[in-house]
Amino acid sequence: MSTKRNGLLALLGLGAVAWWKYKNSTPEEKQAVKDTFNTAKDNFNKFGSDLKSKASDVASQVQNKMDQAKTSAESSVNQN
């Protein structure tokens, strides 16, 4: 339990130092931080959309394979 508490305290301390450093930085440095976050957000959104499109591609491929298997099974039943 103390490990979790120490980890949370360390994280809280890092957050406080980062906030203090940001508040005392120049406007140019603040803009650089904002640009970095915006770039990271854009990359994350792009990754999410790419993942979503790949998932829907896989789903449509599976649906096509199922339709082909169903057609094949129906045609083999109809022949007999």
Side-chain angles (χ1 to χ4, degrees):
M1 185 68 180
S2 68
T3 309
K4 288 182 182 180
R5 184 184 56 174
N6 290 343
L8 287 174
L9 287 175
L11 189 59
L12 183 63
L14 282 173
V17 169
W19 178 79
W20 177 78
K21 185 168 174 67
Y22 178 78
K23 288 297 178 184
N24 293 325
S25 62
T26 65
E28 292 84 14
E29 291 170 337
K30 287 181 181 180
Q31 188 60 43
V33 170
K34 289 178 185 177
D35 291 343
T36 301
F37 276 112
N38 287 336
T39 301
K41 183 180 75 170
D42 292 341
N43 289 341
F44 186 71
N45 288 338
K46 182 179 178 275
F47 174 73
S49 8
D50 289 347
L51 189 61
K52 185 177 180 181
S53 67
K54 287 179 184 179
S56 56
D57 288 346
V58 168
S60 66
Q61 288 175 358
V62 168
Q63 185 63 40
N64 289 340
K65 293 289 184 181
M66 290 298 296
D67 290 342
Q68 288 175 358
K70 182 180 176 183
T71 305
S72 175
E74 288 174 351
S75 65
S76 67
V77 168
N78 289 338
Q79 287 179 354
N80 293 332

